[in-house]
Amino acid sequence: MAVLLFHIFRQQDEHARTMAIARARTVMSVLDREFLRTHSVLKTLGNNGLWQERRFAEFHAEAQQSARDLGASSILLLEPGGQMILSTKRPFGTALPTLRSAPLLAQTISTGLPGISSLFVNPVDRQYIFTLSVPLRQNGEVTYSLNATYTPDALDNILAEQKLSKSWRAAIIDTQGKIVTRTHEAARFTGRPVLAKLLEKLNTDNEGAYDDVTLDGIPVMTAFSRSSVSKWSVVIGIPLEEAAAPVRAFVLQAVALLTLTLIIGMAIIWWLSAYLNKLANAMLSERGEAAARDEGQLLP
């Protein structure tokens, strides 16, 4: 019974972790679809040809509509050197700055592939943002980068739509291990790095589950899934007390069932023992009476 119960416990615990990983994987797939949607809209916008003809005023108007459709903070058109050609946050024709440090721009120009930045602070308003980019080519050469910028709260609806238990902690993590948004106290934790143990696992595994403590001090079973495309991650923390409840209930039911089986078995054995004892005594009694009759017949 002890071996069986231990085996059941291990199986149920493994099942709970597998289900938590699957939940994190589902949320991550939704996030990847949103990233893909942004890249698709940017590519469609870039295919209108207006930028090639330097009809930037008309391009600016279409970019504003695309930004509204995406729910993006802004859409930018950048030259390889970092000069901002237009921003939907500014009226067309406004003088715009040159970006001094733009890792995503450099990546997009060098690889010629769409990209996603990590969370960073907007130098203009000092607010956290992240950016998605697509390259624009002319004569086979990347001449511009078309970017859409978002604030972290643009991803809040992804977590809200999952209808997770209110006690669960879920977070979206960027490529550098920084919290982009979170189901609980997002404003407090946005931009903060995850714990060292989680960061190590995110850097070595695409998904997994283990026991840990959240940044706000709650013991949880942590499940994570990292996208092989964007390299962003989704992490879900289920309070250990809650995560263990189904396993504990199942084990208690198994114990109750096994105990009941044992009691019934012992009762059957007791009844059989009593019955056999009674039968044996009756047989002995009959033999004794028969022996006495035989002895009486032999007397003179």
Side-chain angles (χ1 to χ4, degrees):
M1 286 178 64
V3 172
L4 178 60
L5 287 175
F6 178 75
H7 180 66
I8 290 173
F9 177 82
R10 290 293 299 271
Q11 279 193 325
Q12 290 299 309
D13 181 68
E14 187 63 29
H15 176 71
R17 293 175 188 274
T18 300
M19 294 302 293
I21 292 172
R23 200 67 186 272
R25 190 188 305 133
T26 298
V27 182
M28 188 65 246
S29 67
V30 174
L31 180 60
D32 273 344
R33 284 199 298 271
E34 287 300 310
F35 288 161
L36 180 61
R37 174 172 173 262
T38 294
H39 281 145
S40 296
V41 171
L42 290 176
K43 288 177 182 178
T44 301
L45 178 62
N47 287 337
N48 64 18
L50 295 174
W51 61 274
Q52 293 173 311
E53 300 172 12
R54 302 191 68 79
R55 294 160 59 186
F56 292 129
E58 296 173 59
F59 188 86
H60 183 273
E62 291 200 12
Q64 284 182 315
Q65 182 58 51
S66 295
R68 286 191 290 269
D69 293 342
L70 288 171
S73 297
S74 65
I75 288 180
L76 314 173
L77 184 64
L78 302 169
E79 289 184 336
Q83 176 60 49
M84 196 179 299
I85 302 301
L86 61 83
S87 168
T88 57
K89 263 194 171 182
R90 299 286 186 271
F92 179 74
T94 303
L96 298 171
T98 299
L99 302 181
R100 296 182 179 179
S101 177
L104 180 61
L105 174 61
Q107 174 189 319
T108 303
I109 299 300
S110 63
T111 64
L113 298 172
I116 303 171
S117 77
S118 296
L119 194 68
F120 64 96
V121 176
N122 187 340
V124 177
D125 57 15
R126 310 305 299 172
Q127 297 296 313
Y128 281 113
I129 59 172
F130 63 93
T131 304
L132 286 83
S133 68
V134 297
L136 299 183
R137 288 184 174 84
Q138 194 167 15
N139 299 323
E141 182 181 353
V142 178
T143 53
Y144 293 102
S145 175
L146 186 59
N147 293 16
T149 67
Y150 293 88
T151 54
D153 57 13
L155 302 179
D156 288 348
N157 64 311
I158 292 178
L159 297 179
E161 289 171 358
Q162 303 310 307
K163 305 297 183 183
L164 301 174
S165 171
K166 292 183 179 180
S167 60
W168 293 16
R169 265 64 178 163
I172 296 175
I173 314 297
D174 71 8
T175 54
Q176 296 183 350
K178 291 183 294 187
I179 297 172
V180 179
T181 191
R182 196 171 183 265
T183 53
H184 294 68
E185 299 181 280
R188 174 186 171 191
F189 291 104
T190 292
R192 288 182 58 174
V194 299
L195 296 173
K197 186 176 180 180
L198 175 57
L199 182 60
E200 179 183 355
K201 290 185 176 295
L202 291 176
N203 289 333
T204 56
D205 301 317
N206 284 333
E207 59 184 28
Y210 66 99
D211 294 344
D212 203 353
V213 178
T214 64
L215 285 170
D216 43 355
I218 299 174
V220 293
M221 179 181 72
T222 300
F224 66 90
S225 179
R226 185 176 65 135
S227 170
S228 59
V229 179
S230 65
K231 304 304 180 184
W232 282 40
S233 306
V234 168
V235 179
I236 295 177
I238 305 174
L240 285 179
E241 192 67 27
E242 184 177 342
V247 179
R248 187 166 52 245
F250 186 87
V251 170
L252 288 175
Q253 290 174 3
V255 169
L257 180 60
L258 290 171
T259 302
L260 179 62
T261 302
L262 183 61
I263 291 173
I264 293 173
M266 292 176 66
I268 292 173
I269 292 172
W270 177 84
W271 179 82
L272 285 173
S273 177
Y275 175 77
L276 291 174
N277 282 333
K278 182 179 180 181
L279 186 61
N281 289 334
M283 292 176 63
L284 289 174
S285 177
E286 288 180 4
R287 288 181 181 178
E289 292 176 359
R293 285 196 300 269
D294 292 342
E295 184 179 349
Q297 292 174 359
L298 293 174
L299 290 175

